[in-house]
Amino acid sequence: MPVLQANNLHKRYPGRGRQPVLALDGLSIEAEAGSVLALLGPNGAGKSTTVKILTTLARPDSGQATVAGYNVLTQAELVRRSIGLVAQKSSADPMATGQENLVLAGRIHGLGRAEAHARARDLLARFELVEAGARVVRTYSGGMARKLDVALGLVHRPRVLFLDEPTTGLDPQARRQLWHEIERMTGEDGMTVLLTTHYLDEADQLAEHLAIVDAGRVVVSGRPEDLKDELRGDALTIEFTTAEQARSGRAVLARLPLQDVVVEASRVRARADIGPEAVPAALSVLESAGLAARSVTMSRPSLDDVYLRYVGRAYTAEAA
Amino acid sequence: MAFTAPAPAGTLTDAVLLTGRSVRALLRQPAYLGISLIQPVIWLLLFGQLFRSVIDIPGFTTRSGDYLEFITPGVILMTTLFSACWAGTGYIEDMNLGVMDRLLASPVRRGAMMAGALAYQVLTTVVQALIVFGIAYLAGARFAQAGRGIPITLLAAGLICVIMASLSNAIALLVRQQEALIGISQFIVLPLQFVSGAIMDTRLAPGWVRHVARYNPVDWAVVAARQSLSAGTDWGAVWPRLGALAALAIVMAALGTRAFGSYQRSA
């Protein structure tokens, strides 16, 4: 039985003086116990609204959801006892030390004084924050504060942990460190994790199951490997010198049996059933049209290709 | 099958923990702490000097004949009013920091969150009031009934604090913006202060002011405090006003707690 389930969630925000904003448009997801489910999508796709509803911070206009077996609307208090939340923004009290933040979080979740202190020490050690634990959080770096946020979400050993864009704003090294901690945590503690992200590589690295969210609904879900395997053939990336050449190249390449041909700045991306045959064919038609490709790359389909296939547009940094 | 979640701490424990969090934060901001404590002292000495001659106005009623003794409970209530009206800034800061959502997604009851915030405000109010009493004593004020008057003044100040801080917290949860809270607070605070006997005997004010002051909780608290500190206390003027303040405090704290529902609905 899924430990987390949302069914046909709808949510609309009043748009102050403008049209109402449709945040969720029939979103449905589920996650089995002990798994990591990633919600992948650009900003405004509905990921954070989903997290708000599942953590009882917001109410859906319609639809149902259960977390740890409890209804988020009618058993909100029991849901809150069962979950940990690591929100998009760092949510530690900046005027308290790391240790004090963890002890307070433990106490309000029902841990006794001694147990809360012991748990805080354990988590500070686990997240390599022992020395920083006695300092007020406003002195922490972004990476340290984020690790403390994750520790705060774990202090009461929740059944379900929500990680809302946990690595947004971190430098690459801090991101990798946090990924390592998340992997270790889910592997060791066996909790169910709902992770939202707009980083394709993050979803690929951490999630056992993936739901791509766009415009408030899930457009496709499954295991990342299965989703990529469903895209038969190979991904081609053809680099041109200018965006204009890339647009001309796309028109020329339309003569070939390629799928999902899109232009991204000065490059054309496409999918071919048999890559090794498609590459010389593509170079040939481009050459006959007087277009010179700077490079051609062939690879196995990635989550970018999965996103393109199901959402109908490339996953760009601008969208995210 | 539902997961058996651990039992959360009780409402009282949560409220105490959250009060402790606020007190700790205050103690770590010595400049803010210093200003909070010095401000009422400045008001006391400033107003005490500025208006000391008003006791000579015919019709001004003060039993001791000393304006400092007259204004001391007024300054305490004014300080309480101003401090409590800014209470909501703490909630807005917590919203901006993400602390509010983390607490709301935890088992902490909304009532405990409100009680913790109010207890912190009352605690700071009591400390400020005791400092004002101390400075007034050093400046020469002598209250006929300090033994019972000081606790009653602290009670009245605490109740005003709960009323206004509940209102401020509720506004913060509804508007979520510092600027809006500041504007609304200023709109409320000044009329409440001036349409009361905090710094002037309302019997010298126009009739309509005296009439409006009868419905002003700040005036109720000022009258109760001043009467309890004076010789020949009119208890008929003290207990009904304290009772009304207590009832209003309960209602406002309950309404403030309900504002969390509005915050959640618009999230």
Side-chain angles (χ1 to χ4, degrees), chain B residues 66 68-69 134-143:
Chain B
D66 184 273
L68 191 61
E69 287 163 28
I135 297 296
Y137 181 82
L138 292 176
R142 297 292 181 269
F143 298 101

Side-chain angles (χ1 to χ4, degrees), chain A residues 1 20 35 63 67 72 148 153 191 209 232-233 247 274 295 315:
Chain A
M1 183 181 170
S35 68
V67 175
V72 296
L148 180 65
M191 69 181 68
H209 290 86
R232 289 176 295 110
R247 285 193 292 274
I274 303 171
S295 68
Y315 194 86

Side-chain angles (χ1 to χ4, degrees), chain A residues 219-266:
Chain A
V219 290
V220 66
S221 64
R223 289 161 47 85
E225 286 309 313
D226 293 343
L227 292 174
K228 286 184 276 189
D229 285 347
E230 281 176 19
L231 301 181
R232 289 176 295 110
D234 301 297
L236 300 185
T237 305
I238 303 160
E239 192 81 42
F240 293 90
T241 306
T242 65
E244 190 181 346
Q245 285 180 348
R247 285 193 292 274
S248 303
R250 181 190 177 180
V252 172
L253 290 166
R255 298 174 204 157
L256 299 177
L258 300 174
Q259 294 96 52
D260 304 328
V261 183
V262 293
V263 176
E264 290 174 7
S266 62

